[in-house]
Amino acid sequence: MENWSVEQVCNWLKQRNLGELVPKFREEEISGAALLALNDRMVQQLVKKIGHQAVLMDLIKKYQQQKSGLESLTYCCETASQKFPEVISGKNLKSFFARYKTLQWTSSYALPDFPYDVKCILAEKKCPDHSMRIRIIEFLQADMTKYLEGSLYPNSQQYNIVVNALLQAYPFLDEDGNGFLLWKRALKDRFKYVRRPIEDDEQVLRNKCKFGHRRGQTRKSAFAENKLDDVQGQVEEEPAHLKGSTMDLHIKWLNQEYMKTQRNWEEVDNRMNVTIEIRRKMISDKAPLKDILRLFPFLRCPYQLFREFQLLTHMDIYKKTVEILEIYSENILSLYVVRNNPINIMLQENLKQHTDEDVLKYMKMTAACLLLPEVFGDDSSLFAAVNEEVKAVTPVLEVKNPFNVNSCEFALYIEREELAQLDDCTMALAALVAAFHVFDIPCPKRIHRTLNFLESLVFEVRNPASLP
């Protein structure tokens, strides 16, 4: 870090969600050496927000501790091996050098040699699609496992080193400065996926017991028994600035801001960025939905739900849904299978009462949206409850008076509780698809074909699912 240029420092700030500080750091020409020389008074003059001051000082302090730790460890290794050769041997030697080996990742790690198809995509300097991102993550996970000599439990620093190496080699992968958290989250999820089916590995079993995954006990019930403080204490690999009082302050601010009528959406975005890792961990650990929404109530807002989806997938779900309904609505309504459906009959009756083209287009798109499960032979009750009570526990739409321009209502329900009010069928359909991904909810088999069709179009699959 001492040899970093001003631009490298700015990139480092972006990776840690401190992008707001970049203009000031450029203006003051803060290089790596200057950054490490900053004291409390300088940081206060340089950075206005107290939260950013705390995060910046913590990061600087941790780097300095890591550096001094490496130097002292090296010195201790040298002196100890000279004075006590009988102690620094065998198992003791392996334990003694464990931390030193971890710190050596910074200088020794090199990206793996990606397969030919991945190299072609990266050479074009274009952001890869969903399937190609998975391929990259799979190779990074396999390569890290080799460095770890077969272990499936990297620490947070090792995740950071690998993701930093990826983004430095291919800067275009760091979209809008948010790529670091997304790639790290994806890499951690990949390791979890690999560990999940393993039942005979001693280290995997030991860590599962350590964090409450005991035989005969579901992950959800184990999580529900713990208080919020216990949950935060179990996040072993999260950066220090996401723990303790700083995290509590972010959560408290988000809850207070949610109660206001005039909200500071820019600051909401920033704080949702900062807290994404702890939120994704709660969701991956199957925390109860009510607990997640209690801590992060802005996920009830369609805008934040769509934004969370975009952070995870790099796809604008609302824009894609508009395109899907505009392209396919006429085709859906012309299919024989929906001709005598009550929704289509209701549509035809209401079309006679209007002449405005925009109103007619809106009605047709609404009908096409609601008829999708019928087209694929799926269970429509798991998709939308039209003028009736919601019964499904998975994400489902509640729709009232769908063709009445003045009194139509759309809402998204999860676990039979209303999550969000929605403006129209397009927003409703986008929210439905986003909810499955954001809250990591398995898709029911009886609605699988409908959602598969939508997701193949959203994620721009080369051979998307087609209408029957």
Side-chain angles (χ1 to χ4, degrees):
M1 184 180 282
E2 294 92 335
N3 299 322
W4 282 4
S5 65
V6 175
E7 200 58 38
Q8 286 176 309
V9 171
C10 292
N11 290 334
W12 178 78
L13 290 171
K14 291 177 182 177
Q15 292 171 1
R16 281 148 184 81
N17 294 308
L18 294 173
E20 292 183 13
L21 309 183
V22 168
K24 188 66 176 177
F25 271 61
R26 284 195 178 123
E27 179 185 343
E28 298 294 338
E29 297 183 358
I30 305 294
S31 62
L35 177 66
L36 295 176
L38 294 176
N39 57 34
D40 292 352
R41 183 179 57 81
M42 293 176 182
V43 171
Q44 289 173 5
Q45 293 177 348
L46 193 65
V47 182
K48 292 182 179 180
K49 295 182 180 179
I50 295 176
H52 288 170
Q53 292 175 10
V55 171
L56 184 61
M57 287 304 299
D58 184 66
L59 291 171
I60 295 173
K61 182 180 178 181
K62 284 196 172 296
Y63 179 83
Q64 292 171 337
Q65 288 176 345
Q66 176 183 310
K67 181 186 174 186
S68 61
L70 177 59
E71 291 172 349
S72 62
L73 184 63
T74 306
Y75 174 76
C76 289
C77 289
E78 293 172 352
T79 55
S81 60
Q82 294 170 3
K83 294 183 178 181
F84 309 103
E86 71 282 359
V87 176
I88 309 301
S89 61
K91 294 183 179 179
N92 290 334
L93 181 64
K94 183 177 181 180
S95 174
F96 196 76
F97 277 97
R99 175 169 166 78
Y100 177 76
K101 187 175 181 181
T102 298
L103 296 176
Q104 284 294 88
W105 271 61
T106 306
S107 58
S108 65
Y109 182 77
L111 288 174
D113 188 18
F114 290 115
Y116 179 74
D117 57 336
V118 177
K119 286 181 179 179
C120 291
I121 293 295
L122 295 176
E124 294 176 3
K125 295 186 177 181
K126 294 180 180 178
C127 288
D129 59 18
H130 184 66
S131 60
M132 190 57 66
R133 289 173 68 86
I134 292 175
R135 290 263 288 156
I136 294 172
I137 288 296
E138 287 175 348
F139 273 86
L140 289 178
Q141 180 268 318
D143 191 59
M144 286 181 71
T145 304
K146 292 178 183 178
Y147 267 79
L148 291 166
E149 298 179 351
S151 172
L152 296 175
Y153 287 91
N155 61 33
S156 186
Q157 180 193 5
Q158 290 164 340
Y159 282 117
N160 292 343
I161 291 168
V162 173
V163 175
N164 273 325
L166 178 69
L167 298 184
Q168 286 176 8
Y170 307 104
F172 58 89
L173 297 177
D174 188 15
E175 292 185 0
D176 302 324
N178 293 319
F180 180 85
L181 288 177
L182 297 177
W183 284 100
K184 182 179 177 182
R185 179 75 266 165
L187 193 54
K188 293 178 78 172
D189 286 344
R190 176 63 189 174
F191 269 97
K192 286 183 181 179
Y193 176 80
V194 172
R195 292 194 300 260
R196 191 167 296 165
I198 297 177
E199 298 294 343
D200 56 354
D201 184 271
E202 182 181 350
Q203 186 183 16
V204 173
L205 290 175
R206 186 169 61 250
N207 278 273
K208 284 185 176 180
C209 290
K210 180 180 178 182
F211 293 103
H213 301 287
R214 293 171 175 81
R215 292 182 181 178
Q217 182 184 40
T218 63
R219 302 176 77 188
K220 183 172 181 179
S221 62
F223 196 101
E225 293 173 359
N226 299 320
K227 296 179 181 180
L228 171 62
D229 292 339
D230 297 330
V231 173
Q232 292 176 351
Q234 290 179 5
V235 185
E236 59 169 347
E237 295 173 354
E238 298 300 333
H241 66 277
L242 291 183
K243 294 182 180 178
S245 58
T246 305
M247 172 58 69
D248 293 338
L249 288 174
H250 286 310
I251 292 174
K252 183 178 180 181
W253 186 93
L254 287 168
N255 278 267
Q256 290 175 345
E257 193 71 11
Y258 183 75
M259 302 304 294
K260 297 179 181 178
T261 53
Q262 298 293 328
R263 296 161 178 166
N264 183 350
W265 288 107
E266 182 178 355
E267 185 63 19
V268 169
D269 291 349
N270 291 336
R271 302 219 182 206
M272 290 293 281
N273 277 349
V274 171
T275 56
I276 187 171
E277 287 199 46
I278 188 69
R279 187 164 59 254
R280 299 316 307 169
K281 180 168 181 62
M282 288 182 68
I283 291 171
S284 67
D285 285 347
K286 304 302 179 187
L289 180 65
K290 62 180 181 180
D291 289 347
I292 297 169
L293 295 176
R294 177 169 57 83
L295 298 181
F296 304 102
F298 277 99
L299 288 179
R300 293 179 177 275
C301 300
Y303 162 74
Q304 283 297 330
L305 188 66
F306 298 158
R307 188 173 180 276
E308 189 93 349
F309 182 90
Q310 189 165 13
L311 287 174
L312 296 173
T313 65
H314 291 270
M315 291 292 176
D316 186 337
I317 183 69
Y318 182 76
K319 180 181 177 182
K320 290 290 181 182
T321 306
V322 172
E323 294 174 358
I324 292 169
L325 288 179
E326 287 183 344
I327 293 172
Y328 288 92
S329 58
E330 292 289 350
N331 292 337
I332 292 170
L333 295 176
S334 66
L335 294 173
Y336 178 80
V337 70
V338 303
R339 184 171 300 176
N340 297 320
N341 187 280
I343 290 176
N344 196 21
I345 294 172
M346 195 188 311
L347 168 68
Q348 300 305 323
E349 292 175 353
N350 282 271
L351 287 177
K352 299 173 184 177
Q353 302 173 17
H354 298 275
T355 57
D356 187 275
E357 290 186 5
D358 290 336
V359 174
L360 297 177
K361 179 181 178 182
Y362 166 82
M363 288 184 175
K364 290 179 179 179
M365 289 175 65
T366 300
C369 170
L370 299 178
L371 288 169
L372 268 175
E374 192 75 20
V375 170
F376 289 94
D378 282 338
D379 186 347
S380 59
S381 67
L382 297 178
F383 186 83
V386 182
N387 293 331
E388 59 184 30
E389 182 183 356
V390 170
K391 297 179 181 179
V393 294
T394 52
V396 66
L397 301 176
E398 182 193 57
V399 185
K400 296 181 180 179
N401 308 316
F403 303 114
N404 189 321
V405 179
N406 298 319
S407 63
C408 61
E409 296 179 11
F410 297 87
L412 175 64
Y413 275 67
I414 303 180
E415 297 179 359
R416 299 193 185 94
E417 297 289 337
E418 183 180 302
L419 181 79
Q421 290 283 341
L422 307 156
D423 294 341
D424 52 37
C425 69
T426 307
M427 183 179 286
L429 185 57
L432 180 68
V433 177
F436 278 99
H437 284 266
V438 169
F439 297 109
D440 194 18
I441 298 173
C443 172
K445 289 184 178 179
R446 290 181 294 160
I447 199 69
H448 173 74
R449 283 170 292 190
T450 303
L451 289 181
N452 182 52
F453 168 74
L454 294 169
E455 290 176 356
S456 69
L457 295 174
V458 169
F459 292 121
E460 299 176 350
V461 176
R462 293 183 179 178
N463 297 313
S466 58
L467 292 172

